[in-house]
């Protein structure tokens, strides 16, 4: 049996296993610690459900990932240290919150920063291809490089957690990101790495079957942190493996997750709110209010995810076409930020009326 046949068989078996893992997790996870994983808080700003739903998607994701890591080692004799350390560290931080073990948001952020910085510095995880001239000499400094990579991870991880509130919103967004990354790597014959990206797409699709359009399970902080961190790591490695593609394209690919955090932080400071506590003025929430005004709350939940991700997909396709040109990629990235601000301002005015 050829290598391609073995890989195809492996991914097919893995898809089946991942589906049954999420099936079992969705069915039995409500029994963990007396139902501690059930989300019963219907009053928080980001709550858009009215029945208790288990926040155990992260458990299904980390079990599936663990199986993949093991089988990948059996097939290729390679231990994916960077993925293992990053995924398990952020999973544990998020899982404590899913279990309702109270950790202040600032303390949780500090713990995450310390763990990630340690792994980034020691493994090490570096960005080798960057199109910002003044940063190029600075990236040769290991401490500066590690801090820069840490900031990238924090934006993506917290962006993933921020938009994880509607059925399918984060999951579909991560699927699109990983499909684009897989396409780039397959086109450039980085096939071994593509297998791992495809395995994550399989995990996300398996979860989506139980989350969209109606939710039987949520990703929870553990799932959002884990899958967001892996999307960030996938992007860094793809950027390093494909130097002919402008690094600004990868900024474009992650712009929604990144800018949602950056803009929300500045907005809350301007509004004299704490930037680390949630509110209901994020773009995906404002769009939900607009959509549900016409279609009702239940339809608005999943329609919101479809519309935002469809718009996101339409906006990144030109970026993929422009990706070999650093200058055009840079312009397109800033155009996307402007489009975000225009859409946000229009939605914000609607909610004020």
């Amino acid at each position: 049996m050829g290598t391609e046949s073995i890989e195809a068989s492996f991914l097919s078996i893995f898809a089946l296993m991942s589906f049954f893992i999420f099936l079992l997790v969705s069915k039995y996870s409500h029994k963990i610690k007396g139902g501690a994983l059930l989300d019963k808080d219907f009053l928080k700003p980001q709550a858009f459900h009215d029945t208790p739903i288990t926040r155990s998607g992260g458990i299904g994701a980390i079990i599936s990932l663990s199986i993949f890591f093991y089988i990948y080692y059996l097939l290729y004799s390679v231990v994916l240290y960077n993925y293992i350390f990053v995924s398990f560290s952020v999973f544990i931080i998020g899982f404590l919150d899913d279990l309702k073990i109270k950790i202040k948001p600032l303390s949780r952020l500090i713990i995450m920063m310390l763990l990630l910085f340690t792994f980034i510095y020691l493994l090490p995880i570096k960005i080798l291809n960057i199109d910002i001239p003044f940063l190029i000499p600075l990236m040769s400094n290991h401490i500066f490089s590690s801090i820069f990579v840490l900031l990238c991870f924090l934006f993506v991880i917290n962006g993933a957690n921020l938009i994880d509130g509607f059925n399918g919103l984060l999951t579909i967004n991560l699927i699109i990101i990983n499909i684009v990354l897989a396409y780039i790597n397959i086109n450039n014959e980085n096939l071994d790495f593509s297998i791992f990206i495809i395995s994550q797409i399989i995990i996300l699709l398996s979860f989506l079957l139980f989350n969209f359009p109606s939710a039987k399970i949520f990703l929870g902080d553990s799932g959002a942190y884990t899958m967001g961190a892996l999307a960030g790591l996938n992007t860094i490695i793809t950027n390093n493996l494909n130097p002919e593609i402008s690094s600004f394209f990868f900024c474009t690919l992650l712009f929604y997750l990144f800018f949602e955090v950056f803009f929300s932080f500045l907005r809350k400071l301007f509004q004299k709110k704490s930037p680390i506590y949630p509110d209901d003025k994020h773009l995906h929430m404002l769009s939900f209010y607009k959509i549900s005004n016409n279609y009702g709350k239940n339809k608005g939940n999943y329609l919101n995810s479809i519309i935002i991700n469809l718009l996101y997909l339409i906006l990144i396709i030109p970026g993929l076409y422009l990706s070999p040109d650093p200058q055009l990629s840079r312009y397109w990235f800033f155009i996307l930020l402007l489009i975000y601000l225009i859409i946000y301002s229009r939605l914000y005015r609607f909610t004020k009326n």
Side-chain angles (χ1 to χ4, degrees), residues 27-78:
K27 190 171 182 179
Y28 296 108
S29 59
H30 66 278
K31 297 181 179 181
I32 296 175
K33 201 182 174 184
L37 288 174
L38 288 175
D39 188 348
K40 302 176 184 178
D41 186 357
F42 310 128
L43 300 178
K44 58 186 177 182
Q46 68 272 37
F48 296 97
H49 60 292
D50 48 23
T51 57
I53 295 175
T54 179
R55 291 158 49 95
S56 55
I59 297 176
I62 203 69
I63 293 173
S64 296
L65 284 168
S66 299
I67 292 171
F68 176 84
F69 293 145
Y70 180 68
I71 299 177
Y72 191 88
Y73 172 74
L74 294 179
L75 288 176
Y76 303 104
S77 299
V78 175

Side-chain angles (χ1 to χ4, degrees), residues 157-165 260-261 264 268 282 284-285:
I157 291 170
N158 286 286
N161 192 47
L162 198 61
I163 71 170
D164 178 39
E260 185 66 38
V261 176
S264 297
K268 290 176 184 177
H282 301 292
H284 56 283
M285 295 180 178

Side-chain angles (χ1 to χ4, degrees), residues 94-249:
F95 190 59
L96 293 175
D97 191 67
D98 290 338
L99 286 173
K100 301 181 178 66
I101 296 173
K102 296 298 179 183
I103 302 175
K104 291 181 179 179
L106 182 58
S107 300
R108 186 168 63 225
L109 180 61
I110 292 172
I111 294 169
M112 183 184 295
M113 289 172 63
L114 291 173
L115 281 173
L116 285 175
F117 181 81
T118 300
F119 295 138
I120 290 166
Y121 186 84
L122 295 177
L123 285 171
I125 300 172
K126 293 186 175 183
I127 297 176
L128 303 178
N129 173 34
I130 191 163
D131 291 330
I132 305 174
F134 77 89
L135 282 180
I136 294 174
L138 295 174
M139 294 298 283
S140 62
N141 181 288
H142 190 39
I143 294 178
F144 179 87
S145 172
S146 298
I147 292 173
F148 185 82
V149 173
L150 171 65
L151 290 175
C152 295
F153 268 111
L154 290 177
F155 274 116
V156 174
I157 291 170
N158 286 286
N161 192 47
L162 198 61
I163 71 170
D164 178 39
F166 293 97
N167 299 349
L169 178 58
L170 171 61
T171 309
I172 295 172
N173 188 258
L174 292 177
I175 289 171
I176 293 171
I177 290 170
N178 282 309
I179 286 175
V180 171
L181 295 176
Y183 169 79
I184 291 171
N185 284 291
I186 290 170
N187 264 7
N188 290 282
E189 299 185 350
N190 301 314
L191 300 181
D192 288 352
F193 180 55
S194 301
I195 291 173
F196 187 48
I197 298 177
I198 293 170
S199 73
Q200 290 174 59
I201 296 171
I202 288 171
I203 291 172
L204 290 165
L205 286 170
S206 298
F207 167 78
L208 193 64
L209 292 173
F210 299 92
N211 177 256
F212 185 87
S214 59
K216 298 179 180 65
I217 186 174
F218 290 152
L219 270 176
D221 286 359
S222 59
Y225 286 172
T226 302
M227 302 312 296
L230 295 187
L233 190 51
N234 292 342
T235 305
I236 290 173
I237 295 176
T238 301
N239 174 69
N240 294 344
L241 290 173
N242 301 276
E244 72 283 358
I245 295 177
S246 169
S247 60
F248 262 94
F249 166 71

Side-chain angles (χ1 to χ4, degrees), residues 289-336:
Y289 296 141
K290 173 69 173 175
I291 295 168
S292 62
N293 188 58
N294 296 323
Y295 296 98
K297 184 177 177 181
N298 290 334
K299 281 188 177 180
N301 189 319
Y302 64 83
L303 285 177
N304 190 38
S305 301
I306 293 172
I307 291 170
I308 289 177
N309 279 302
L310 181 60
L311 178 60
Y312 165 79
L313 179 60
I314 291 169
L315 291 175
I316 64 167
I317 287 175
L320 184 60
Y321 177 75
L322 300 171
S323 63
D325 189 313
Q327 194 72 8
L328 292 177
S329 293
R330 187 179 295 115
Y331 290 152
W332 187 246
F333 172 71
F334 287 108
I335 288 171
L336 293 187

